């Protein structure tokens, strides 16, 4: 019998402080009207100075395990998707494993930027369906505020901090059709130069791009990423649906990466889906990178927008540049 991989628990965490558009007006030359019109964002959640990505990931993981009714020792594997790890080593997933006391679990991090949670789900589906593992924790967590250049008005208005976590487990019940139906990921490395966050590579070209000349900050060509995002989210949804013989009409709820309402609107038009079926919480949080989709999924569930038997589609894009789409039967 085909083993199915099913999400059985979801959790989230947010940065403790609120950064509003009027706060940003005091930091760079910008205004609320411009930010709302061009991005849809009104406020973001920012982690305190001593709150790191692993802390957000841990909080979201605890909530997801509780929701799943599992104990940390049930976990076989922890995957954390992040581009803002506390350390390069140990991985955030290893820190979370230790804090949870999930001693049986293997752990590693992945880097697909904002696509990360979808990337982690793709791996979890494989490990469950091939029979290797029974319970996998997938976390998307980022504290982008720690690598944001707050002198650069083109980027500092966009980002916030958070974590979303899901527990993916083996579903062997023939009467329960809940599962990950399809997962597809991709990359367009030739466009990667449009969004950079250096680690060892500290060259003059990278330095010159940054307003504060701080190489530990994220730089982005917003309009290039914008064009990529609208195109790739639409293509990813259409292709992933086609792979499993489904159409846009089968979708009950679409949860896109929350980067910019104009990007979401553009993709929604191309996908030709009713905007009422699209979940958006971006105005409250901004772009939380790998955390966005997980936090949105959790809120959609809490708001009663995800019902048993529904088809839920998650779609993301991000640095790399990367993209990914997951179809869930809830
Ligand atoms: N406040 C006021 N004016 C601003 C501004 C701000 N915060 N940021 C930029 N501007 C100005 C620019 O300097 C420019 O002025 P100029 O024409 O005098 O040079 C003008 O507004 C237009 O800038 P532009 O960059 O073309 O705006 P845009 O419509 O492309 O919006 C982004 C900028 C960043 C909001 C948009 O490109 C975007 O959202 N891109 C995708 C980013 C993203 O999602 N990245 C995450 C990847 S996961």
């Amino acid at each position: 019998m085909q083993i199915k991989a099913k999400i059985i628990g979801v959790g989230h965490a947010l940065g403790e402080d609120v950064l509003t558009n009027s706060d940003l007006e005091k930091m760079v030359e910008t205004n609320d009207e411009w930010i709302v019109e061009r991005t849809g964002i009104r406020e973001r959640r920012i982690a305190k100075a001593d709150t790191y990505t692993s802390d957000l990931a841990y909080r979201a993981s605890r909530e997801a395990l509780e929701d799943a009714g599992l104990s940390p020792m049930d976990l076989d594997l922890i995957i954390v998707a992040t581009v803002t790890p506390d350390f390069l080593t140990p991985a955030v997933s290893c820190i979370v494993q230790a804090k949870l006391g999930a001693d049986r679990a293997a752990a590693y991090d992945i880097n697909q930027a904002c696509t990360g949670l979808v990337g982690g789900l793709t791996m979890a589906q494989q490990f469950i369906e091939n029979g290797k593992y029974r319970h996998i924790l997938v976390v998307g967590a980022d504290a982008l505020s720690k690598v944001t250049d707050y002198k650069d008005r083109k980027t500092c208005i966009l980002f916030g901090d958070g974590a979303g976590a899901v527990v993916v487990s083996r579903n062997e019940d023939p009467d329960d059709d809940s599962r990950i139906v399809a997962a597809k990921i991709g990359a367009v490395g030739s466009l990667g130069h449009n969004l950079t966050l250096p680690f060892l590579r500290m060259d003059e070209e990278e330095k010159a791009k940054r307003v504060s000349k701080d190489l530990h900050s994220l730089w982005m060509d917003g309009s290039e990423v914008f064009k990529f995002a609208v195109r790739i989210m639409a293509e990813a949804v259409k292709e992933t649906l086609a792979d499993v013989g489904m159409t846009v009409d089968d979708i009950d709820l679409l949860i896109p990466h929350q980067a910019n309402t104009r990007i979401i609107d553009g993709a929604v038009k191309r996908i030709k889906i009713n905007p009422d079926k699209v979940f958006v919480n971006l105005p409250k949080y901004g772009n939380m990178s790998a955390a966005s989709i997980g936090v949105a999924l959790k809120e959609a569930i809490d708001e009663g927008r995800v019902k048993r038997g529904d088809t839920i589609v998650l779609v993301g894009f991000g640095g790399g540049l990367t993209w990914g789409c997951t179809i869930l039967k809830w």
Side-chain angles (χ1 to χ4, degrees):
M1 190 186 64
Q2 164 78 36
I3 300 171
K4 295 166 284 193
K6 168 187 179 176
I7 292 180
I8 65 161
V10 184
H12 77 315
L14 297 164
E16 299 89 345
D17 296 331
V18 175
L19 181 69
T20 65
N21 290 350
S22 78
D23 294 331
L24 285 161
E25 284 175 6
K26 292 169 204 132
M27 298 159 72
V28 286
E29 203 183 321
T30 190
N31 58 77
D32 176 61
E33 198 189 342
W34 193 96
I35 300 173
V36 172
E37 193 190 305
R38 299 291 184 113
T39 72
I41 302 166
R42 294 182 184 276
E43 52 187 51
R44 316 109 192 100
R45 299 293 292 269
I46 304 295
K48 289 205 178 294
D50 59 353
T51 297
Y52 292 96
T53 298
S54 68
D55 301 307
L56 297 166
Y58 170 70
R59 283 180 214 157
S61 300
R62 287 293 302 262
E63 194 175 274
L65 281 169
E66 202 170 300
D67 191 36
L70 294 183
S71 93
M73 284 298 275
D74 293 321
L75 292 174
D76 299 303
L77 173 66
I78 300 171
I79 302 171
V80 175
T82 185
V83 288
T84 49
D86 309 25
F87 305 95
L88 263 191
T89 190
V92 172
S93 52
C94 293
I95 301 173
V96 170
Q97 187 241 28
K99 272 187 150 182
L100 287 173
D103 299 355
R104 287 184 49 253
Y108 59 83
D109 288 4
I110 57 171
N111 173 348
Q112 286 169 297
C114 309
T115 311
L117 187 86
V118 173
L121 281 173
T122 309
M123 282 187 220
Q125 180 194 17
Q126 300 304 315
F127 278 128
I128 300 276
E129 288 187 355
N130 71 20
K132 173 111 179 136
Y133 291 136
R134 189 173 284 273
H135 299 296
I136 301 176
L137 177 68
V138 182
V139 189
D142 269 307
L144 281 184
S145 69
K146 301 197 189 286
V147 294
T148 296
D149 181 351
Y150 284 100
K151 291 198 171 87
D152 177 7
R153 67 177 182 171
K154 290 186 179 181
T155 55
C156 73
I157 55 161
L158 299 171
F159 303 121
D161 304 336
V166 295
V167 178
V168 185
S169 295
R170 191 184 290 186
N171 175 5
E172 287 169 305
D173 180 352
D175 298 326
D176 178 0
D177 203 27
S178 308
R179 67 195 193 283
I180 298 176
V181 178
K184 200 177 175 88
I185 49 174
V188 186
S190 58
L191 294 178
H193 59 276
N194 290 303
L195 204 174
T196 61
L197 175 53
F199 175 60
L200 293 179
R201 195 141 178 166
M202 302 286 177
D203 59 41
E204 287 305 315
E205 199 186 328
E206 285 295 332
K207 200 169 169 182
K209 289 175 183 173
R210 287 163 170 77
V211 177
S212 67
K213 310 297 174 213
D214 173 9
L215 278 166
H216 297 288
S217 65
L218 187 152
W219 174 86
M220 178 174 63
D221 183 332
S223 58
E224 285 302 316
V225 177
F226 192 107
K227 282 185 272 178
F228 168 79
V230 173
R231 174 175 66 81
I232 212 73
M233 287 214 291
E235 285 176 11
V237 169
K238 287 184 195 166
E239 284 175 21
T240 314
L241 286 167
D243 283 353
V244 286
M246 296 173 83
T247 71
V248 171
D249 294 336
D250 294 314
I251 301 176
D252 293 297
L253 188 69
L254 176 70
I255 302 182
H257 173 49
Q258 310 282 312
N260 182 319
T261 43
R262 286 192 298 136
I263 291 177
I264 295 174
D265 292 346
V268 162
K269 275 199 196 106
R270 285 184 184 218
I271 296 167
K272 297 193 173 70
I273 184 172
N274 179 345
D276 293 344
K277 290 183 169 183
V278 182
F279 190 82
V280 178
N281 63 1
L282 174 78
K284 293 187 287 183
Y285 305 127
N287 179 349
M288 296 185 289
S289 188
S292 283
I293 289 178
V295 171
L297 176 62
K298 169 73 176 135
E299 288 200 351
I301 294 167
D302 289 349
E303 290 175 22
R305 294 192 62 184
V306 177
K307 292 177 289 301
R308 178 109 205 251
D310 278 357
T311 297
I312 312 295
V313 175
L314 315 177
V315 62
F317 67 92
L321 300 180
T322 56
W323 59 270
C325 180
T326 309
I327 302 175
L328 308 168
K329 191 74 167 171
W330 203 258

